[in-house]
Amino acid sequence: MFSPTDYRFMAQALRLAEKGLYSTSPNPRVGCVLVRDGQVVGTGWHERAGEAHAEINALAAAGPAARGTTAYLTLEPCSHHGRTPPCADVLLQGGVAKVIAAMQDPNPLVSGRGCALLEEAGIEVQTGLMEAEAKALNIGFVSRMTRGHPWVRVKIAASLDGKTALNNGSSQWITSEAARRDGHRWRARSCAVMTGIGTVLADNPQLTVRHVPTSRQPLPIVVDRGLDIPIDAGLLRGAGELIFTAAASEGKIVALRDGGGHVGHRDTQRRRQPTAGPAQPRTPWSDFRASTAAARRAAAARSRS
């Protein structure tokens, strides 16, 4: 179905998409290569959310040479209006003759509609080339779109005998510089970094990306049952940090919120009262997403002011 040449150009598109690894969140990383007669005439990738998508950048690079090309895309072109126009329409206007997409867009707003729009206009469309690699590049985006949950990675630094620090607590870390740099690469590609109050009190972490260049920082999240986090904790930078607690300490909550943080409170001691009729489904992830979105909006507003 796909030729060695197809694989070569799709691999190039995936390498382009990786350039947005630390910057496109919450959007997916996408690369595009335009090819005519075996020659690349234009390339592009999605650099950051709110800016031009990969297809638009590739078409701009190709100019008039885009007509009659085959577009190699790591993700199905979008078909809806968001902060940018539908890429399927832009490909049609650019005169692309064929589209090969690594995977269908899992976003319900697209999910096959982009490919269908192109096919209805007479454009040949193929999907599935290097799909596994494309999904791995956007595993968090795919998880949010298909499951309504984030993709969670756990980072554990431990010795062969299961220790994470010296017994006297004097060790700041037990990993090498190379291992810490690798950990920061994973941190840079994440939307959020979560830790418990024990780590905050023992290590006073910043939860920032420092060992690799990045244009954005992940959102810090702390699980703190007793709301013991110090007001001057290193991770509290007024960037919309999220603290989840079961403590009803109004004064502390107000102080944290005044500092730019967001506090999610749930009284775990309160017994749930039975209700008449069928039970309503619990949606803690919906609450979390709403809190995260609010935190991001607040941080963005502060950065613009």
Side-chain angles (χ1 to χ4, degrees):
M1 182 179 181
F2 298 112
S3 69
T5 300
D6 290 331
Y7 277 91
R8 177 161 59 92
F9 289 129
M10 185 60 77
Q12 182 178 352
L14 286 165
R15 289 193 298 272
L16 287 168
E18 286 182 2
K19 292 186 176 184
L21 198 61
Y22 304 153
S23 60
T24 65
S25 177
N27 289 357
R29 297 104 183 185
V30 184
C32 177
V33 175
L34 299 176
V35 178
R36 185 172 61 187
D37 300 327
Q39 300 295 318
V40 174
V41 300
T43 63
W45 69 92
H46 182 40
E47 298 181 19
R48 57 185 55 84
E51 296 187 4
H53 288 189
E55 301 91 324
I56 296 173
N57 288 331
L59 288 166
R67 293 205 165 271
T69 57
T70 294
Y72 291 86
L73 283 164
T74 59
L75 185 69
E76 173 189 7
C78 62
S79 57
H80 65 290
H81 284 271
R83 284 183 281 185
T84 58
C87 290
D89 290 345
V90 175
L91 289 171
L92 290 174
Q93 295 165 8
V96 170
K98 180 178 179 179
V99 171
I100 298 179
M103 61 176 288
Q104 189 177 93
D105 192 334
N107 187 340
L109 294 175
V110 185
S111 192
R113 294 180 181 86
C115 290
L117 190 154
L118 294 171
E119 289 176 328
E120 290 170 3
I123 305 298
E124 182 182 354
V125 177
Q126 292 178 285
T127 60
L129 176 60
M130 302 184 74
E131 182 175 10
E133 292 85 345
K135 285 184 175 179
L137 189 62
N138 288 304
I139 190 66
F141 176 77
V142 172
S143 180
R144 292 200 314 272
M145 293 296 113
T146 59
R147 305 189 307 152
H149 293 280
W151 183 260
V152 179
R153 295 184 179 94
V154 178
K155 188 202 77 170
I156 299 175
S159 59
L160 290 176
D161 59 352
K163 305 298 183 181
T164 60
L166 296 177
N167 288 334
N168 61 11
S170 63
S171 56
Q172 184 177 2
W173 47 61
I174 62 173
T175 53
S176 67
E177 183 177 347
R180 291 192 293 276
R181 189 178 300 111
D182 185 60
H184 276 245
R185 280 193 288 265
W186 286 106
R187 183 179 289 187
R189 65 185 293 177
S190 302
C191 293
V193 178
M194 183 169 68
T195 191
I197 186 59
T199 297
V200 174
L201 296 177
D203 299 337
N204 192 24
Q206 299 178 54
L207 300 187
T208 56
V209 179
R210 300 180 299 280
H211 293 294
V212 297
T214 181
S215 59
R216 66 171 185 88
Q217 291 291 341
L219 179 70
I221 301 174
V222 180
V223 179
D224 182 3
R225 180 186 179 93
L227 204 58
D228 298 315
I229 187 169
I231 294 298
D232 60 351
L235 62 84
L236 297 176
R237 302 182 297 276
E241 300 84 7
L242 293 177
I243 301 102
F244 289 98
T245 184
S249 178
E250 290 299 326
K252 188 77 167 285
I253 291 174
V254 169
L256 289 168
R257 288 174 175 167
D258 287 346
H262 292 260
V263 180
H265 172 258
R266 171 169 291 183
D267 185 357
T268 58
Q269 302 302 318
R270 185 175 59 195
R271 296 177 61 88
R272 297 184 66 193
Q273 299 298 320
T275 57
Q280 297 299 313
R282 298 177 64 185
T283 56
W285 176 236
S286 298
D287 296 338
F288 173 81
R289 282 186 295 183
S291 298
T292 303
R296 287 295 189 197
R297 287 193 298 270
R302 282 190 293 275
S303 67
R304 290 193 298 268
S305 60

